[in-house]
Amino acid sequence: MKWFLILWAGPVALLSSWYGLSYYDMSFGFFMLTRHTHDLVFEVYGNILGIPPETIPPLVARAIAFDSLIVFAIIAFRKRRAIAAWWRKRQSSKEDVVAVRRDESLSSAP
């Protein structure tokens, strides 16, 4: 499971950091991080896909969000017993608090 998360989060972190740095032209001397390269990459992808280059970043963001939901659903499915135990413990502690508050109610005051 650890490698699954690393292999998912690594490319997502790399892509998002490249996008953020190149979008704001924080190149630190690297050509790959310049705004010119940013525009060129999306222009090439736009020509390959036959869509305007400015529509690609929202599509990629939606794809990352959808993939993230799938990854977290897989993790939740694998840890469902621990999550269920945590939920039962949380609900029982809430019932205990409500019972204590009922006992301390002022409505039974003389």
Side-chain angles (χ1 to χ4, degrees):
M1 182 57 70
K2 176 174 67 172
W3 283 105
F4 177 68
L5 286 173
I6 290 170
L7 291 175
W8 164 76
V12 169
L14 185 67
L15 178 68
S16 60
S17 62
W18 170 80
Y19 181 81
L21 290 172
S22 65
Y23 183 80
Y24 293 109
D25 201 16
M26 292 189 237
S27 65
F28 303 112
F30 296 109
F31 176 71
M32 195 61 198
L33 297 177
T34 62
R35 181 61 190 220
H36 177 69
T37 306
H38 175 92
D39 294 337
L40 184 65
V41 165
F42 285 110
E43 185 178 330
V44 169
Y45 278 132
N47 289 336
I48 290 171
L49 297 173
I51 60 176
E54 59 273 359
T55 61
I56 296 173
L59 294 175
V60 172
R62 277 192 265 164
I64 289 173
F66 182 73
D67 290 348
S68 300
L69 286 175
I70 290 173
V71 166
F72 292 132
I74 291 170
I75 292 170
F77 181 75
R78 289 183 54 108
K79 304 227 181 238
R80 65 187 181 274
R81 289 187 183 99
I83 293 171
W86 169 79
W87 184 255
R88 275 187 249 112
K89 181 181 174 187
R90 180 180 167 159
Q91 294 301 319
S92 68
S93 66
K94 282 184 179 179
E95 290 171 2
D96 295 341
V97 170
V98 170
V100 168
R101 287 184 185 161
R102 253 188 263 135
D103 293 340
E104 296 174 357
S105 175
L106 292 178
S107 62
S108 63

